[in-house]
Amino acid sequence: TDRKKLHTAPVGQLFRLRPFHVLVATGGGYAGYRKYEDYKLEQLEKRGIEVPVRLASEWEVALYKSVPTRLLSRAWGRLNQVELPTWLRKPVYSLYIWTFGVNMKEAAVEDLHHYRNLSEFFRRKLKPQARPVCCVHSVISPSDGKILNFGQVKNCEVEQVKGVTYSLESFLGPRISTEEMHFSQAPPGNSFQQQLVTKEGNELYHCVIYLAPGDYHCFHSPTDWTVSHRRHFPGSLMSVNPGVARWIKELFCHNERVVLTGDWKHGFFSLTAVGATNVGSIRIYFDQDLHTNSPSYSKGSYNDFSFISNNNKEGIPMRKGEHLGEFNLGSTIVLIFEAPKDFKFNLKAGQKIRFGEALGSL
């Protein structure tokens, strides 16, 4: 009778799972499985074995989207800004350098103790001579990365990787009014693609560059052009590595992205920065009003901002190689532009490229 009574909660209460926990656990487990599948595909590619395309079903995409990648990316961003003790900086950054193959000899500051947090390390600047800008070719690579795909846009669809496409109109959004673009009105066409081509005899081209976590994270202007408009699409933050891009159709249309449109000497020109897991932060240096990965957003919405005003009727002029923006970690840049039919790319799919190297020319 002197023994203390042990009070226990009902078994049902102990093992009660909320829907959110189930989604996180299931989605996270499936995301891990996909990472393993991606690793196996990379090994096959290194051995020269062609991998057949297998697209994800709707339920697989929905399951992947159930992972709270936006919340995780915001948490990762805050963690990156935590100042590390001086004694801990070198071990942490050295592990990252070893994991992702970072070349610190190119960094403007090689001393690892200089970077107070991971965010500063990710956004490290390069030595001026590390990336010479090609003066001969008209379009250069805006960043370091891997070429996923390039070529002419056909049938209003763009290839994100070989054999996997996405809709041009879904990616860029509705046509921007001519009042916000200072080049001439294109003749009315039968398709969205034809409406973007402003000069007779021109074609629409595209190029997709994937930035890995170990790459230089800033991106630059790929040519001399004028930015007239910005369109921000809030969205998911799924991984954009080549394995996932091969698996999910219209991956770039699902993810958060910032579309900069304007014109160059041959007509329409656009650069799109696509967000990804842990890359919720996309920064455009001349656009202080842009805020990506906001906690509240409406699915399928987008926000427009015009750089043409009464005081600035020309937009934002950009010179080839000029600093344009940055990612936190790595992601993808998509170029879609108009050029004459004799424009030629100097690329191979899958090749590594560095900022300043030639993409193509007339």
PDB file of all heavy atoms in Angstrom, residues 17 178 285:
ATOM      1  N   LEU A  17      -0.503  10.179 -34.281  1.00  0.00           N
ATOM      2  CA  LEU A  17       0.304  10.894 -35.265  1.00  0.00           C
ATOM      3  C   LEU A  17      -0.561  11.928 -35.971  1.00  0.00           C
ATOM      4  O   LEU A  17      -1.666  11.628 -36.409  1.00  0.00           O
ATOM      5  CB  LEU A  17       0.885   9.925 -36.307  1.00  0.00           C
ATOM      6  CG  LEU A  17       1.919   8.928 -35.791  1.00  0.00           C
ATOM      7  CD1 LEU A  17       2.312   7.971 -36.896  1.00  0.00           C
ATOM      8  CD2 LEU A  17       3.152   9.653 -35.273  1.00  0.00           C
ATOM      9  N   THR A 178       3.408  45.417 -74.148  1.00  0.00           N
ATOM     10  CA  THR A 178       4.440  46.134 -74.911  1.00  0.00           C
ATOM     11  C   THR A 178       4.764  47.478 -74.288  1.00  0.00           C
ATOM     12  O   THR A 178       5.827  48.043 -74.540  1.00  0.00           O
ATOM     13  CB  THR A 178       3.971  46.349 -76.368  1.00  0.00           C
ATOM     14  OG1 THR A 178       2.687  46.992 -76.344  1.00  0.00           O
ATOM     15  CG2 THR A 178       3.860  45.031 -77.083  1.00  0.00           C
ATOM     16  N   TYR A 285      20.880  42.158 -57.512  1.00  0.00           N
ATOM     17  CA  TYR A 285      21.548  43.290 -56.879  1.00  0.00           C
ATOM     18  C   TYR A 285      20.819  44.617 -57.079  1.00  0.00           C
ATOM     19  O   TYR A 285      20.788  45.451 -56.167  1.00  0.00           O
ATOM     20  CB  TYR A 285      22.990  43.400 -57.378  1.00  0.00           C
ATOM     21  CG  TYR A 285      23.872  42.248 -56.963  1.00  0.00           C
ATOM     22  CD1 TYR A 285      24.782  41.675 -57.850  1.00  0.00           C
ATOM     23  CD2 TYR A 285      23.807  41.729 -55.673  1.00  0.00           C
ATOM     24  CE1 TYR A 285      25.595  40.609 -57.466  1.00  0.00           C
ATOM     25  CE2 TYR A 285      24.611  40.678 -55.279  1.00  0.00           C
ATOM     26  CZ  TYR A 285      25.500  40.119 -56.184  1.00  0.00           C
ATOM     27  OH  TYR A 285      26.296  39.058 -55.800  1.00  0.00           O
TER      28      TYR A 285
END
